[in-house]
């Protein structure tokens, strides 16, 4: 066992504090990673504040992890000491159910083991990436292409794959009009990826304050959802809407923006239930869907796609002791567009 420094939530209501946690010995199929950077996802905040249900404390979160391999177990074939690697939201799954076999470990029928706040094989609770090192089964460790700046790449492991997967699944590409709702960590990745896939992209943000960035990332248009005229102007405009908003929004208004047979995919995961009026769906044969991160194979495909297209998140690097301040800024939509913790500041 190895003791490492970390930032943990002591309870649902207190700020995160510096602490130590232990990492298991490197097993035969394990890779030990010295963490270099860890992104801050809004899910980290929902989790530590107990918004998705009670958790055990203290809890270290963080599921956008990049670093270098520092040790490998005797059976490991996929990674070598020194490799640049990443870990996203999962660290294991059953590997045998129909979904795991199909490469959709995120939909494992026995429940995948999350990078944090999950019960691990040994009964302990998994602890996430706001820490100096982590030990993970080699199958859940991704190769990070050399061309992607290591200081910025971490958010691809959650924000990147969570938007790539539905864009791919619902065939965003040349000739499709896609709207992205919410221009935060996930939203700005959705814009960049949808543009690279060849779709025509519109951003729906609360205000026009992020308009310049939307257009710089390749969106064709940016509209403020605080302006009721937006919903009249854009009625019947899109084949696909990706909703990344972390709060409850009026789904009926957004469904009105879809064309016949269109799909609104919810990746945003607010604590409160969302409400969908039946008559927002019925008259135009619409689909309202959800999507969770992506499988391991697909996550590797996304990293390689981002390397090929030169796609990286826009990040703000912080030291670990700034994490509580960063949380407040995420909550007030004041992040451009992902905070990344420099794990060297945990030393
Ligand atoms: P984020 O950076 O905070 O972005 C959320 C964006 O939503 C904000 O930037 C803001 O965009 C908009 N927003 C926030 N509050 C709003 C409100 N009251 N009304 C309207 N718009 C509002 O969060 P994130 O890290 O991208 O995560 C977004 C959501 O996705 C979270 O709920 C997270 O838990 C979830 N998530 C789901 C998955 C999955 O697998 N499905 C994976 C990762 C994250 P504007 O400033 O443009 O208005
Ligand atoms: Zn996340």
């Amino acid at each position: 066992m190895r003791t490492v420094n970390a930032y943990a939530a002591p309870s649902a209501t207190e700020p995160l504090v510096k602490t130590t946690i232990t990492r298991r010995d490197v097993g035969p199929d394990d890779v030990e990673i010295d963490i270099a950077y860890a992104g801050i996802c809004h899910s980290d905040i929902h989790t530590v504040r107990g918004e998705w249900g009670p958790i055990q404390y203290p809890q270290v979160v963080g599921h956008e992890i990049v670093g270098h391999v520092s040790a490998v177990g005797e059976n490991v074939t996929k990674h070598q000491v020194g490799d640049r690697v990443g870990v996203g939201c999962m660290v294991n799954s059953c590997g045998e159910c129909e979904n795991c076999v199909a490469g959709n470990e995120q939909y494992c029928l026995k429940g995948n083991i999350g990078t944090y706040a999950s019960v691990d094989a040994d009964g302990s609770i998994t602890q996430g990436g706001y820490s100096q090192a982590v030990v993970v089964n080699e199958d859940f460790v991704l190769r990070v292409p050399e061309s992607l700046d290591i200081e910025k790449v971490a958010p691809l492991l959650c924000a990147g794959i969570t938007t790539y997967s539905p864009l791919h699944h619902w065939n965003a590409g040349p000739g499709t009009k896609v709207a992205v709702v919410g221009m935060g960590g996930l939203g700005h990745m959705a814009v960049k990826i949808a543009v690279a896939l060849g779709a025509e992209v519109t951003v729906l943000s609360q205000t026009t304050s992020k308009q310049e960035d939307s257009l710089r990332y390749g969106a064709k248009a940016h509209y403020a959802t605080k302006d009721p005229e937006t919903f009249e102007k854009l009625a019947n405009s899109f084949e696909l809407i990706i909703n990344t908003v972390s709060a409850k929004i009026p789904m009926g208004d957004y469904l009105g923006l879809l064309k016949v047979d269109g799909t609104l995919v919810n990746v945003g995961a607010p604590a409160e239930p969302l409400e969908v009026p039946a008559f927002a769906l019925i008259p135009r044969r619409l689909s309202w869907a959800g999507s969770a991160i992506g499988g391991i194979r697909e996550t590797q495909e996304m990293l390689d796609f981002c390397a090929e297209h030169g796609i990286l998140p826009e990040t703000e690097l912080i030291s670990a002791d700034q994490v509580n301040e960063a949380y407040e800024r995420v909550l007030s939509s004041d992040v451009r567009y992902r905070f990344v913790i420099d794990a060297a500041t945990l030393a």
Side-chain angles (χ1 to χ4, degrees):
M1 252 179 0
R2 175 179 170 195
T3 301
V4 297
N5 295 338
Y7 256 75
S11 75
T13 52
E14 288 167 282
L16 274 58
V17 291
K18 194 170 179 183
T19 185
T20 58
I21 54 169
T22 54
R23 294 303 192 185
R24 67 172 183 257
D25 288 333
V26 180
D29 303 311
D30 285 339
V31 170
E32 183 189 63
I33 301 163
D34 270 340
I35 298 174
Y37 300 98
I40 294 179
C41 177
H42 205 120
S43 301
D44 302 349
I45 305 176
H46 290 307
T47 301
V48 296
R49 300 201 170 177
E51 290 170 9
W52 288 342
I55 61 161
Q56 277 187 35
Y57 298 95
Q59 177 67 58
V60 177
V61 290
H63 57 205
E64 296 182 334
I65 301 170
V66 296
H68 295 95
V69 175
S70 49
V72 294
E74 64 207 47
N75 299 340
V76 169
T77 57
K78 294 180 178 144
H79 308 283
Q80 289 182 343
V81 171
D83 284 356
R84 246 152 128 347
V85 292
V87 176
C89 304
M90 300 179 282
V91 289
N92 222 328
S93 71
C94 83
E96 290 167 356
C97 73
E98 63 191 73
N99 296 338
C100 284
V101 169
N104 289 317
E105 299 89 351
Q106 74 277 34
Y107 306 124
C108 174
L109 294 176
K110 291 186 183 152
N112 68 69
I113 299 179
T115 303
Y116 58 71
S118 259
V119 181
D120 210 344
D122 63 2
S124 66
I125 301 294
T126 54
Q127 303 291 329
Y130 302 180
S131 62
Q132 290 179 300
V134 65
V135 177
V136 179
N137 180 289
E138 69 161 336
D139 292 338
F140 287 77
V141 176
L142 288 307
R143 291 185 311 279
V144 176
E146 286 296 323
S147 66
L148 293 173
D149 182 354
I150 191 161
E151 196 183 296
K152 291 184 166 286
V153 73
L156 294 183
L157 277 308
C158 174
I161 184 59
T162 301
T163 49
Y164 178 89
S165 183
L167 286 166
H168 221 243
H169 183 79
W170 276 278
N171 302 313
T176 49
K177 291 190 172 135
V178 175
V180 174
V181 189
M183 177 83 160
L186 267 58
H188 93 297
M189 287 313 308
V191 173
K192 290 182 177 209
I193 292 169
V195 166
L197 288 167
E200 185 183 307
V201 180
T202 297
V203 174
L204 302 173
S205 184
Q206 292 171 91
T207 66
T208 53
S209 67
K210 297 173 177 173
Q211 177 160 3
E212 251 177 56
D213 292 335
S214 297
L215 302 181
R216 189 156 51 85
Y217 300 151
K220 189 154 183 239
H222 177 116
Y223 287 89
T225 53
K226 281 204 169 141
D227 178 358
E229 272 187 27
T230 291
F231 292 91
E232 287 164 35
K233 268 190 218 150
L234 296 179
N236 189 42
S237 293
F238 306 106
E239 277 91 22
L240 181 64
I241 299 178
I242 307 285
N243 174 24
T244 74
V245 174
S246 50
K248 183 176 177 178
I249 54 172
M251 299 315 299
D253 293 355
Y254 290 86
L255 288 162
L257 309 183
L258 287 170
K259 291 171 179 278
V260 164
D261 287 333
T263 303
L264 189 158
V265 185
N266 227 91
V267 291
E272 314 85 343
L274 295 168
E275 283 165 29
V276 175
F279 282 99
L281 295 168
I282 291 167
R284 280 172 304 122
R285 199 164 54 190
L286 302 180
S287 300
W288 185 44
S291 182
I293 48 173
I296 294 296
R297 212 158 51 217
E298 194 180 24
T299 305
Q300 190 62 59
E301 182 187 302
M302 175 277 308
L303 286 167
D304 296 342
F305 175 88
C306 289
E308 190 188 324
H309 292 267
I311 297 175
L312 278 169
E314 182 131 353
T315 56
E316 185 173 334
L317 193 64
I318 60 166
S319 56
D321 61 5
Q322 292 175 294
V323 65
N324 294 302
E325 197 187 312
Y327 274 22
E328 292 312 315
R329 285 185 52 199
V330 170
L331 290 169
S332 56
S333 304
D334 176 29
V335 48
R336 309 242 166 147
Y337 282 90
R338 203 57 143 181
F339 288 110
V340 170
I341 300 168
D342 180 353
T345 63
L346 283 162

